[in-house]
Amino acid sequence: MSAPSLTNDDARLGADTLRMLAVDAVEAANSGHPGLPMGAADYAFLLWHSHLRFAPADPEWPGRDRFILSAGHGSMLLYGLLHLFGFDLPLEELKQFRQWGSRTPGHPEYGHTPGVEVTTGPLGQGFAMGVGMALAARMASARFADERFDPCGHQVYAIVSDGDLMEGISQEAASLAGHLKLGNLVYLYDDNRITIEGSTDLAFSEDTAGRFTSLGWHVQSVDGHDVAQVGEALWRARIERDRPSLIIARTHIAHGSPGKHDTAGAHGAPLGAEEAAATRKNLGWPDELFHVPERVREICGRRQEELAAAHAAWQDEFRRWRRRTPDKARLWDSLWQKAVPKDLEARLLAAVAGADGATRALSGKAIQAAAAAVPALAGGSADLEPSTNTRIADSPSVLPGSYGGRNLHFGVREHAMGAVMNGMARYGCFIPYGATFLVFADYCRPAIRLAALMKQQAVYVFTHDSLFLGEDGPTHQPVEQLSSLRLIPNLRVIRPADGPETALAWGAALRRTDGPTALVLTRQKVPAIVREEPLDAKTFAKGGYVVRQGGATPDVVIMASGSEVGLALGAAEVLAGEGVTARVVSVPCLETFLAQPEAYRRRLLPGRVPRVAVEAGHGGLWWRLLGPGGLFIGMESFGASAPEKVLAEEFGFTPAKVAGRVRELMGR
């Protein structure tokens, strides 16, 4: 699609419209960041008018280019663009910027505002999510393109800021993008050299162009207010197929404001009524608030017509492609729907049938069955696959220039891994998973939080889940991570006890489409659980169920997750020899169990019966089930470096010691 013409006067008028919409919205809210929208308006308007391919009436059109405002604090820039170019964001919504119930929140939120691709705000996350989108697009092209048509031959654009580049996640993501030769990635770096504290010289003096060049990027430098320079750079970036592109656009924060130009004062605060008036006068802008010139409406309306024609042409070509390549078309439907077969759980259970061992190894068996059943599944680890057992055995690796495989190698880059997964999930086509040790979940946490906020299907495989990894010591023994992950809204944390629970945990993760799932797995071998009733997916989905009944009215209920379910059963045997009947309840997903109707929980946890929970970590949410009279047997300190059995004895995680603590609770 050829770029429409845009005169210098029209480009300036469109940019000034964006500037003043941002000024007016921030002034009305008395809150926000006007500086970046004012500085970036020239190249942003040009990008949207002359290069970006999108469909306002069909925001999720698979053939669109993707645009990310990684510098999410400049959200009014994006809202202005969405409004001007025909998305369902009327001017009244811009007037309600940052107000309750509006579609214009302080930072862009996917699913809340039409046309917003991803939720941004935490700096660097959008940068890394764009890498995930570009990777997913290349992987999709490898599966769907033929000699006549590539339905996924689009670009991923982003505006990134000084703050994005300072955050370490951007270095990880940029390194991965350069290594993988993601030439469909084009980033505009808003080089305004101002942060909240003042000039970037206070803390940032690196050679950005040299840095990205060394990472394998195609780097250009332009005057961000010169649309001719920016336009030429964008065209060069689009024809660069084997290197991601960084366009360093030198801009001036609060461009157009006589008193705030190039100052930190415009970064995160309104200009103020007096300076807003001075800016209007400087730009020759009318006094009418939220003014959009008719000429700008005309320019943007014409662009929408051109885009609608391009959208229709793509749809025609797509229909011909479907008829021409029926096998690819069937795969397209399966991948974009992220289809899961009805008998998925049966296949997963068969994969682990009769097997015992560490749940990380059992998960590896389940992954093979899952990959065979769900073509959308793709993932890898942060250089830990031999330990996390996450390789898909019958698929090649995704490598530079070779994107047809399903095994990803994130390198030692947990920060980027989580965000790249978000970009892949949000792009579509793939259900991404990523693996590392549980103690390193902290590296992934901001991305996990955004996945939960965006309701994206991503699967985190966290192995080496407790004190019992032994000799590696307290630096690698996660005592607080499990409970802290459970505190993230809309993240489902599942810690399976054995093979059947591990298989059904994968089934739950692959069926869940409204948020991410964390699978928490052991390094050490665990025994197969002997259940009084067979375990099925429906029971597992409740988050907790009875493993050992202990009679209609037991003397005590012992709850546990993961490897501690076997420990609880061992303690129940010890207590049985002493005349104490103990019910054992496996709680693989504490949050889901807490969300069950009270009647279900009471059937498992009868009233007036003492309650105990055993987990080799911090107590966290368990106290909501235990109540003030309950007992939690866990970790309130860091661990130590020693063999697993020694640690179990010293920290009280043996059947005899657990039984002893239960007797103390019962006064026996």
Side-chain angles (χ1 to χ4, degrees):
M1 181 174 63
S2 61
S5 60
L6 185 67
T7 68
N8 287 338
D9 287 344
D10 286 346
R12 174 64 184 273
L13 189 62
D16 283 349
T17 303
L18 290 174
R19 287 188 179 95
M20 292 312 301
L21 286 174
V23 169
D24 290 344
V26 172
E27 290 298 317
N30 195 28
S31 174
H33 302 71
L36 184 143
M38 296 177 73
D42 293 296
Y43 67 73
F45 188 81
L46 175 72
L47 171 66
W48 277 60
H49 179 274
S50 303
H51 295 270
L52 194 69
R53 181 172 60 174
F54 54 92
D58 185 9
E60 292 294 302
W61 170 39
R64 72 192 185 280
D65 292 331
R66 271 62 168 178
F67 174 78
I68 297 171
L69 181 66
S70 187
H73 56 277
S75 57
M76 266 310 304
L77 176 68
L78 178 54
Y79 300 149
L81 289 163
L82 291 169
H83 170 71
L84 294 179
F85 285 99
F87 286 82
D88 184 17
L89 196 67
L91 196 61
E92 191 59 35
E93 290 291 342
L94 275 62
K95 295 177 181 179
Q96 295 299 310
F97 179 53
R98 291 187 165 221
Q99 304 308 301
W100 176 264
S102 79
R103 281 184 277 170
T104 49
H107 293 79
E109 297 178 27
Y110 164 69
H112 188 81
T113 309
V116 171
E117 293 284 2
V118 293
T119 300
T120 56
L123 290 172
Q125 292 290 325
F127 185 113
M129 282 190 275
V131 173
M133 284 186 165
L135 173 59
R138 281 289 169 90
M139 292 172 65
S141 288
R143 287 154 173 77
F144 301 128
D146 68 2
E147 65 281 356
R148 300 188 205 172
F149 179 60
D150 181 359
C152 300
H154 32 243
Q155 304 288 116
V156 178
Y157 294 94
I159 292 176
V160 304
S161 65
D162 295 301
D164 287 296
L165 298 195
M166 290 186 208
E167 290 287 359
I169 187 174
S170 66
Q171 170 68 19
E172 291 187 9
S175 176
L176 185 61
H179 170 73
L180 290 173
K181 301 184 183 300
L182 300 180
N184 55 343
L185 192 66
V186 180
Y187 283 177
L188 288 146
Y189 165 33
D190 189 60
D191 181 21
N192 65 35
R193 304 183 187 179
I194 295 292
T195 59
I196 290 175
E197 293 184 358
S199 170
T200 54
D201 290 345
L202 292 169
F204 189 62
S205 56
E206 67 186 39
D207 176 3
T208 300
R211 168 187 163 193
F212 277 80
T213 299
S214 74
L215 294 174
W217 286 56
H218 172 226
V219 180
Q220 304 174 77
S221 295
V222 299
D223 177 346
H225 302 296
D226 185 327
V227 294
Q229 286 188 35
V230 175
E232 185 177 349
L234 284 168
W235 278 113
R236 287 178 178 171
R238 287 181 63 173
I239 62 175
E240 173 59 59
R241 301 310 300 163
D242 295 324
R243 290 180 293 172
S245 288
L246 183 73
I247 300 172
I248 302 175
R250 177 69 175 103
T251 62
H252 299 276
I253 197 168
H255 187 63
S257 168
K260 296 292 182 74
H261 179 93
D262 275 347
T263 71
H267 187 288
L271 298 182
E274 184 176 336
E275 185 60 26
T279 302
R280 284 191 134 69
K281 183 177 180 181
N282 187 48
L283 296 178
W285 208 251
D287 290 336
E288 176 193 354
L289 298 179
F290 296 95
H291 173 67
V292 179
E294 283 305 314
R295 177 59 181 163
V296 172
R297 295 284 188 205
E298 182 183 315
I299 295 166
C300 295
R302 191 163 59 243
R303 175 59 169 159
Q304 291 172 52
E305 292 173 0
E306 294 163 345
L307 288 166
H311 175 264
W314 186 94
Q315 298 288 3
D316 288 343
E317 189 61 51
F318 183 69
R319 283 188 284 270
R320 289 191 287 271
W321 171 85
R322 290 187 68 94
R323 291 193 296 269
R324 188 168 66 244
T325 60
D327 290 344
K328 289 180 184 290
R330 281 190 291 272
L331 181 61
W332 173 280
D333 293 339
S334 176
L335 280 141
W336 282 96
Q337 295 168 12
K338 300 182 181 180
V340 174
K342 291 182 179 179
D343 65 345
L344 174 65
E345 287 77 10
R347 298 192 201 186
L348 295 170
L349 287 167
V352 301
D356 59 7
T359 53
R360 61 170 175 161
L362 296 164
S363 170
K365 295 178 182 293
I367 285 174
Q368 307 315 312
V374 183
L377 187 65
S381 78
D383 194 49
L384 290 168
E385 188 280 319
S387 294
T388 58
N389 294 271
T390 42
R391 181 176 179 271
I392 298 174
D394 64 352
S395 177
S397 294
V398 172
L399 297 170
S402 178
Y403 308 104
R406 299 166 72 180
N407 288 303
L408 304 177
H409 300 276
F410 293 104
V412 188
R413 302 185 183 99
E414 279 94 349
H415 295 87
M417 178 177 73
V420 167
M421 289 166 59
N422 286 345
M424 293 181 67
R426 180 63 193 97
Y427 175 84
C429 261
F430 301 103
I431 301 173
Y433 65 87
T436 187
F437 297 167
L438 179 59
V439 76
F440 302 137
D442 289 339
Y443 290 159
C444 307
R445 190 172 305 271
I448 296 172
R449 187 175 186 274
L450 285 180
L453 185 58
M454 291 190 290
K455 300 181 179 179
Q456 292 303 295
Q457 185 178 19
V459 185
Y460 312 101
V461 181
F462 294 130
T463 67
H464 296 57
D465 71 340
S466 72
L467 174 76
F468 301 123
L469 64 91
E471 291 87 345
D472 279 343
T475 61
H476 283 54
Q477 293 164 356
V479 296
E480 78 279 17
Q481 278 80 5
L482 187 58
S483 283
S484 65
L485 286 171
R486 288 172 175 151
L487 296 178
I488 299 175
N490 199 40
L491 172 66
R492 187 173 294 170
V493 182
I494 307 178
R495 188 174 183 237
D498 66 350
E501 284 197 7
T502 301
L504 293 174
W506 267 105
L510 292 171
R511 289 200 184 278
R512 187 182 188 214
T513 59
D514 61 351
T517 303
L519 306 181
V520 181
L521 309 170
T522 68
R523 175 195 185 188
Q524 78 279 11
K525 292 182 179 180
V526 293
I529 302 301
V530 178
R531 297 172 175 83
E532 295 181 352
E533 298 289 339
L535 178 61
D536 57 28
K538 184 177 180 180
T539 300
F540 184 81
K542 296 180 183 297
Y545 65 98
V546 173
V547 175
R548 176 188 174 119
Q549 193 66 246
T553 306
D555 296 320
V556 66
V557 174
I558 306 176
M559 296 172 283
S561 76
S563 55
E564 286 75 76
V565 175
L567 173 60
L569 287 167
E573 288 293 333
V574 173
L575 291 167
E578 300 168 354
V580 177
T581 58
R583 175 174 295 174
V584 176
V585 176
S586 176
V587 187
C589 187
L590 183 54
E591 316 92 274
T592 302
F593 187 49
L594 285 166
Q596 295 306 306
E598 179 67 20
Y600 176 75
R601 292 202 306 275
R602 284 202 171 275
R603 285 204 302 273
L604 275 60
L605 313 173
R608 299 189 181 89
V609 175
R611 299 176 186 179
V612 178
V614 186
E615 190 171 76
H618 191 273
L621 293 178
W622 282 107
W623 291 104
R624 289 179 57 185
L625 292 172
L626 292 170
L631 169 66
F632 179 72
I633 301 174
M635 295 289 294
E636 300 296 332
S637 67
F638 292 110
S641 178
E644 171 195 341
K645 291 183 179 179
V646 174
L647 293 173
E649 184 68 32
E650 293 294 333
F651 285 96
F653 293 106
T654 66
K657 290 201 170 184
V658 170
R661 295 285 302 279
V662 173
R663 285 195 303 272
E664 290 176 10
L665 175 69
M666 300 176 66
R668 298 195 181 190

